[in-house]
Amino acid sequence: MSDVAPDMRWRPVAALATEQDVFLLRRGGLVAAEALGLERQDQVRLATALSELGRDRLECTAVTTAFSVRGGAAATLVVTLRWQDGPPPSPESLASAARLVPRIRHVPAGQGGSIAVEQDLPAGADPHGAWADRVRAMLGPTAGDTLSAGMRAQTHDLIAALEDVRAQREELHLLNQELEETNQGVLALYNELSQELEETNSGVVALYAELEDKTRRLQEVSEAKTRFWATVSHELRSPINSVIGLARLLLAPGSRPLDADQRQQVSLIAGSGSTLLALVDELLDVAKAESGQLRPQQAPVDLGVLLGQLQGTMRPSSPGGRVRLSVAGPAGVPEPVTDEVMLTRILRNLLSNALKFTEAGEVSLDVGTESAGGREWMLFTVRDTGVGIPHDQQERVFEEFYQVQGPHQRGRSGTGLGLPYARRLTELLGGTLALTSEPGRGTTVVVRLPVRPEPEAPAGPAPADGPVPAAEPAGAGPADGPRPLGVLLCVDDDPAFRAVVRPVLERLADRVVELDRATGIAEAVRREGADAVLLDLQMPGTDGYAAARELAGAGPEVGGVPLVVVTAAPDDAVDRDRLAHARAVLRKGGLTYERLAEVLLGGPSGAGTGPTGTGRTGTEQAGGGAGGRGGKEAQ
Amino acid sequence: MSERVPVLRIGDVLLVSIQMDLEDQTVMDLQEDLAERIVATGARGVVIDITAVEIVDSFVGRMLATTASISRMLDAETVVVGMRPAVAITLVELGLSLGGVRTALDLEKGLAILRRRSGLPDADPA
């Protein structure tokens, strides 16, 4: 081996540790063989041999490879693989390599050894050429054929691009899948929600139906209640009227004298009857207000007169002079247009309440005005120093029949209708009623009413056929020289009423004929030769309407007889069109001699040609009763 | 780390075109990739084009033979095409005959072999 070293011209050395190094080794061999002018086949042979041997030596430690050229004219390329430790090369590898190159020399050295692969170079090969640089470049750490590297890079890029596309497609697919899943989820959720909504809806519908049913039943109950009130109060009215009338009859100057005790008792009967009638009237009024039958009759009102009357009628109610009632004048308040009757009732109720629950101190009524919402308002403030109303009941007192429980009630009658009635009337007039109270110190009620009614509501006087307000001045004209009638026919099924009215009628006519039913009334008129007929409206069998029709159609002899219809029914319950024949329709309450005389005798000859003044069909209310009805409004 | 040889699908034939000098790892990866693709695509034939391969040593030769065997197991015939003369000579000198691996001179002939085998009509060479 001593001849090897001196001939070395160049010796690129590289380590051989990995498969990559084997690859580089054979590439190096290929490059070196090509550079040194070997034939193509020999190039491949050398490279393959190096590949076989390099692969065989991979398992050894500290393997190095070296390229060198030896000799002069007949030069030889020597590739040496040297290793420090490892098994000897396999005979197969050595044999394979030996088939490809001319010479293989294996030199064992202790644990290691070396293999020299020798390839003869063709003559004319340039051993000093640039081959060594190329081999070194090949074997260096960054070795690599630039062409091959470029191709590799291109391939790499291509593959990367393909990979990228595939990854994107997969991602897209994945996204689609995800989207589909989300869609399904959304759809499921939607279905679930729809179902839930539907269930809720059906529940709501059921609930609504139930609510409607409840509302309807509530309405029915309310209507039934109102009807009940109206019926009861109406039914009660007739007997009460009789009681009052009979009591008055007993007390009348012309009747048989009573002793003091009896007079006292009859007075009590009359007073209680009046109170009862007032209560019944009030009940009826509330019922009417409830059912919306009450309509305000707007007309100019003289506040001064109204307040004066209140002061006059309410004062006596104050107990024992320990309570002072002060009613302010209407100074500065313009003349309002409103329903006088309703206003009177409102204030009367409030004052009566205040007086009733004030043991000592003062009850005052003040009047003021204010402008709000572009309209003029008048304020009636009723203030007392009475027991007051507990806070938790200040709204409940506006419920019908509600009364604050307590010792203050002792000895005081009442229906519990006053406040709700007052509030309802106030609302009907387009106003508000507010209550503030401090228990033990007093109560203040403020009624706020428009000075003029709503513009859209016709503010003109009441229609000609409407009822005339009951509070019209009392028909004071007592007949100065009433000429008694000949025969007066009184038709009523109620003997009590007939008894009440009989003394009055006896002052009007020589003879009073009473009938308890209207059947055959025309015949009765003819038979008795009646000069006038007093006819009740509500009777079993033939009622007042039928009787009036019978009279009207019975020929001039009978039809010309003045007819006066009396009834306990409220004004609006009377069908005036069917009573066109009657000279007047009077209410049983407060029926007086003066009224009857006025109607029956006032236009004696007018019976045939038609009435004057109030007209046949006009309703003569109980105005002659000197506010008899209104006077009993207070609880 | 190592580069992978692309496997292209043409009908039911997989085409492996080796455009570089093969490193050992690349060959092993190829073997694996190819087997997977055969199963995934149901290919009936594989063409391995080694036109660009300059050196095939015993390892690479054996790997080619193994790859062909694996493909056959998966019901796909393998044809190695485009072998260079130097490579062929060297293989023979090494004592490797790539037994069991069909060879063809070029890609066209390789595909023709596969068509014949799978009973497909011959593509008109014209």
PDB file of all heavy atoms in Angstrom, chain A residues 612-634:
ATOM      1  N   THR A 612    -152.130  71.778  25.183  1.00  0.00           N
ATOM      2  CA  THR A 612    -151.263  72.940  25.041  1.00  0.00           C
ATOM      3  C   THR A 612    -150.092  72.759  25.993  1.00  0.00           C
ATOM      4  O   THR A 612    -150.074  71.856  26.816  1.00  0.00           O
ATOM      5  CB  THR A 612    -152.014  74.216  25.407  1.00  0.00           C
ATOM      6  OG1 THR A 612    -152.515  74.060  26.724  1.00  0.00           O
ATOM      7  CG2 THR A 612    -153.158  74.469  24.467  1.00  0.00           C
ATOM      8  N   GLY A 613    -149.201  73.654  25.889  1.00  0.00           N
ATOM      9  CA  GLY A 613    -148.087  73.657  26.852  1.00  0.00           C
ATOM     10  C   GLY A 613    -147.241  72.406  26.756  1.00  0.00           C
ATOM     11  O   GLY A 613    -146.607  72.164  25.733  1.00  0.00           O
ATOM     12  N   THR A 614    -147.275  71.637  27.763  1.00  0.00           N
ATOM     13  CA  THR A 614    -146.365  70.495  27.847  1.00  0.00           C
ATOM     14  C   THR A 614    -146.708  69.412  26.837  1.00  0.00           C
ATOM     15  O   THR A 614    -145.900  68.541  26.568  1.00  0.00           O
ATOM     16  CB  THR A 614    -146.410  69.869  29.232  1.00  0.00           C
ATOM     17  OG1 THR A 614    -147.775  69.542  29.516  1.00  0.00           O
ATOM     18  CG2 THR A 614    -145.894  70.825  30.289  1.00  0.00           C
ATOM     19  N   GLY A 615    -147.875  69.449  26.316  1.00  0.00           N
ATOM     20  CA  GLY A 615    -148.223  68.454  25.320  1.00  0.00           C
ATOM     21  C   GLY A 615    -148.714  67.173  25.949  1.00  0.00           C
ATOM     22  O   GLY A 615    -148.360  66.836  27.068  1.00  0.00           O
ATOM     23  N   ARG A 616    -149.501  66.488  25.161  1.00  0.00           N
ATOM     24  CA  ARG A 616    -150.084  65.259  25.685  1.00  0.00           C
ATOM     25  C   ARG A 616    -149.040  64.232  26.080  1.00  0.00           C
ATOM     26  O   ARG A 616    -149.197  63.480  27.004  1.00  0.00           O
ATOM     27  CB  ARG A 616    -150.938  64.602  24.611  1.00  0.00           C
ATOM     28  CG  ARG A 616    -152.092  65.301  24.134  1.00  0.00           C
ATOM     29  CD  ARG A 616    -152.926  64.365  23.329  1.00  0.00           C
ATOM     30  NE  ARG A 616    -152.332  64.051  22.027  1.00  0.00           N
ATOM     31  CZ  ARG A 616    -153.003  63.360  21.130  1.00  0.00           C
ATOM     32  NH1 ARG A 616    -154.216  62.931  21.406  1.00  0.00           N
ATOM     33  NH2 ARG A 616    -152.455  63.090  19.976  1.00  0.00           N
ATOM     34  N   THR A 617    -148.058  64.202  25.234  1.00  0.00           N
ATOM     35  CA  THR A 617    -147.108  63.116  25.449  1.00  0.00           C
ATOM     36  C   THR A 617    -145.951  63.538  26.337  1.00  0.00           C
ATOM     37  O   THR A 617    -145.069  62.758  26.612  1.00  0.00           O
ATOM     38  CB  THR A 617    -146.553  62.627  24.109  1.00  0.00           C
ATOM     39  OG1 THR A 617    -145.974  63.756  23.459  1.00  0.00           O
ATOM     40  CG2 THR A 617    -147.651  62.073  23.252  1.00  0.00           C
ATOM     41  N   GLY A 618    -145.980  64.793  26.744  1.00  0.00           N
ATOM     42  CA  GLY A 618    -144.921  65.234  27.648  1.00  0.00           C
ATOM     43  C   GLY A 618    -145.050  64.529  28.978  1.00  0.00           C
ATOM     44  O   GLY A 618    -146.137  64.183  29.408  1.00  0.00           O
ATOM     45  N   THR A 619    -143.965  64.342  29.582  1.00  0.00           N
ATOM     46  CA  THR A 619    -144.003  63.643  30.855  1.00  0.00           C
ATOM     47  C   THR A 619    -144.004  64.643  31.984  1.00  0.00           C
ATOM     48  O   THR A 619    -143.118  65.486  32.063  1.00  0.00           O
ATOM     49  CB  THR A 619    -142.781  62.728  31.000  1.00  0.00           C
ATOM     50  OG1 THR A 619    -142.764  61.855  29.902  1.00  0.00           O
ATOM     51  CG2 THR A 619    -142.873  61.934  32.273  1.00  0.00           C
ATOM     52  N   GLU A 620    -144.987  64.547  32.802  1.00  0.00           N
ATOM     53  CA  GLU A 620    -145.009  65.413  33.974  1.00  0.00           C
ATOM     54  C   GLU A 620    -144.417  64.622  35.101  1.00  0.00           C
ATOM     55  O   GLU A 620    -145.006  63.682  35.610  1.00  0.00           O
ATOM     56  CB  GLU A 620    -146.455  65.821  34.301  1.00  0.00           C
ATOM     57  CG  GLU A 620    -147.143  66.543  33.172  1.00  0.00           C
ATOM     58  CD  GLU A 620    -146.448  67.825  32.799  1.00  0.00           C
ATOM     59  OE1 GLU A 620    -146.088  68.590  33.709  1.00  0.00           O
ATOM     60  OE2 GLU A 620    -146.218  68.068  31.598  1.00  0.00           O
ATOM     61  N   GLN A 621    -143.242  65.014  35.427  1.00  0.00           N
ATOM     62  CA  GLN A 621    -142.614  64.253  36.509  1.00  0.00           C
ATOM     63  C   GLN A 621    -143.049  64.801  37.837  1.00  0.00           C
ATOM     64  O   GLN A 621    -143.821  65.753  37.925  1.00  0.00           O
ATOM     65  CB  GLN A 621    -141.106  64.324  36.363  1.00  0.00           C
ATOM     66  CG  GLN A 621    -140.656  63.470  35.193  1.00  0.00           C
ATOM     67  CD  GLN A 621    -139.216  63.077  35.342  1.00  0.00           C
ATOM     68  OE1 GLN A 621    -138.461  63.831  35.954  1.00  0.00           O
ATOM     69  NE2 GLN A 621    -138.851  61.960  34.802  1.00  0.00           N
ATOM     70  N   ALA A 622    -142.504  64.219  38.855  1.00  0.00           N
ATOM     71  CA  ALA A 622    -142.937  64.552  40.200  1.00  0.00           C
ATOM     72  C   ALA A 622    -142.373  65.868  40.659  1.00  0.00           C
ATOM     73  O   ALA A 622    -141.871  66.003  41.759  1.00  0.00           O
ATOM     74  CB  ALA A 622    -142.535  63.442  41.161  1.00  0.00           C
ATOM     75  N   GLY A 623    -142.407  66.834  39.783  1.00  0.00           N
ATOM     76  CA  GLY A 623    -141.877  68.147  40.151  1.00  0.00           C
ATOM     77  C   GLY A 623    -142.696  68.758  41.269  1.00  0.00           C
ATOM     78  O   GLY A 623    -142.181  69.492  42.085  1.00  0.00           O
ATOM     79  N   GLY A 624    -143.966  68.445  41.288  1.00  0.00           N
ATOM     80  CA  GLY A 624    -144.827  69.030  42.289  1.00  0.00           C
ATOM     81  C   GLY A 624    -144.516  68.560  43.688  1.00  0.00           C
ATOM     82  O   GLY A 624    -144.981  69.089  44.667  1.00  0.00           O
ATOM     83  N   GLY A 625    -143.701  67.546  43.777  1.00  0.00           N
ATOM     84  CA  GLY A 625    -143.374  66.995  45.089  1.00  0.00           C
ATOM     85  C   GLY A 625    -142.349  67.820  45.814  1.00  0.00           C
ATOM     86  O   GLY A 625    -141.738  67.336  46.752  1.00  0.00           O
ATOM     87  N   ALA A 626    -142.134  69.025  45.403  1.00  0.00           N
ATOM     88  CA  ALA A 626    -141.167  69.915  46.043  1.00  0.00           C
ATOM     89  C   ALA A 626    -139.837  69.227  46.219  1.00  0.00           C
ATOM     90  O   ALA A 626    -139.252  69.184  47.290  1.00  0.00           O
ATOM     91  CB  ALA A 626    -141.697  70.420  47.389  1.00  0.00           C
ATOM     92  N   GLY A 627    -139.363  68.649  45.141  1.00  0.00           N
ATOM     93  CA  GLY A 627    -138.066  67.949  45.211  1.00  0.00           C
ATOM     94  C   GLY A 627    -138.188  66.732  46.096  1.00  0.00           C
ATOM     95  O   GLY A 627    -137.211  66.330  46.711  1.00  0.00           O
ATOM     96  N   GLY A 628    -139.365  66.189  46.168  1.00  0.00           N
ATOM     97  CA  GLY A 628    -139.579  65.040  47.066  1.00  0.00           C
ATOM     98  C   GLY A 628    -138.596  63.939  46.793  1.00  0.00           C
ATOM     99  O   GLY A 628    -138.096  63.285  47.703  1.00  0.00           O
ATOM    100  N   ARG A 629    -138.323  63.773  45.543  1.00  0.00           N
ATOM    101  CA  ARG A 629    -137.394  62.694  45.233  1.00  0.00           C
ATOM    102  C   ARG A 629    -135.969  63.129  45.569  1.00  0.00           C
ATOM    103  O   ARG A 629    -135.233  62.432  46.227  1.00  0.00           O
ATOM    104  CB  ARG A 629    -137.472  62.375  43.753  1.00  0.00           C
ATOM    105  CG  ARG A 629    -137.492  60.907  43.523  1.00  0.00           C
ATOM    106  CD  ARG A 629    -137.518  60.633  42.046  1.00  0.00           C
ATOM    107  NE  ARG A 629    -136.461  59.716  41.762  1.00  0.00           N
ATOM    108  CZ  ARG A 629    -135.672  59.845  40.721  1.00  0.00           C
ATOM    109  NH1 ARG A 629    -135.832  60.854  39.904  1.00  0.00           N
ATOM    110  NH2 ARG A 629    -134.743  58.959  40.517  1.00  0.00           N
ATOM    111  N   GLY A 630    -135.662  64.306  45.066  1.00  0.00           N
ATOM    112  CA  GLY A 630    -134.302  64.780  45.283  1.00  0.00           C
ATOM    113  C   GLY A 630    -134.014  64.911  46.762  1.00  0.00           C
ATOM    114  O   GLY A 630    -132.884  64.659  47.187  1.00  0.00           O
ATOM    115  N   GLY A 631    -134.968  65.267  47.511  1.00  0.00           N
ATOM    116  CA  GLY A 631    -134.744  65.467  48.933  1.00  0.00           C
ATOM    117  C   GLY A 631    -134.431  64.193  49.658  1.00  0.00           C
ATOM    118  O   GLY A 631    -133.889  64.220  50.764  1.00  0.00           O
ATOM    119  N   LYS A 632    -134.740  63.089  49.022  1.00  0.00           N
ATOM    120  CA  LYS A 632    -134.485  61.825  49.714  1.00  0.00           C
ATOM    121  C   LYS A 632    -133.242  61.142  49.186  1.00  0.00           C
ATOM    122  O   LYS A 632    -132.986  59.988  49.494  1.00  0.00           O
ATOM    123  CB  LYS A 632    -135.681  60.895  49.530  1.00  0.00           C
ATOM    124  CG  LYS A 632    -136.940  61.449  50.156  1.00  0.00           C
ATOM    125  CD  LYS A 632    -138.131  60.665  49.672  1.00  0.00           C
ATOM    126  CE  LYS A 632    -139.375  61.542  49.643  1.00  0.00           C
ATOM    127  NZ  LYS A 632    -140.328  61.061  48.664  1.00  0.00           N
ATOM    128  N   GLU A 633    -132.495  61.863  48.374  1.00  0.00           N
ATOM    129  CA  GLU A 633    -131.322  61.234  47.794  1.00  0.00           C
ATOM    130  C   GLU A 633    -130.273  60.918  48.833  1.00  0.00           C
ATOM    131  O   GLU A 633    -129.565  59.927  48.744  1.00  0.00           O
ATOM    132  CB  GLU A 633    -130.699  62.154  46.738  1.00  0.00           C
ATOM    133  CG  GLU A 633    -131.503  62.231  45.462  1.00  0.00           C
ATOM    134  CD  GLU A 633    -131.658  60.885  44.809  1.00  0.00           C
ATOM    135  OE1 GLU A 633    -130.786  60.033  44.990  1.00  0.00           O
ATOM    136  OE2 GLU A 633    -132.667  60.681  44.113  1.00  0.00           O
ATOM    137  N   ALA A 634    -130.164  61.765  49.798  1.00  0.00           N
ATOM    138  CA  ALA A 634    -129.078  61.585  50.763  1.00  0.00           C
ATOM    139  C   ALA A 634    -129.216  60.249  51.476  1.00  0.00           C
ATOM    140  O   ALA A 634    -130.299  59.774  51.739  1.00  0.00           O
ATOM    141  CB  ALA A 634    -129.105  62.716  51.779  1.00  0.00           C
TER     142      ALA A 634
END
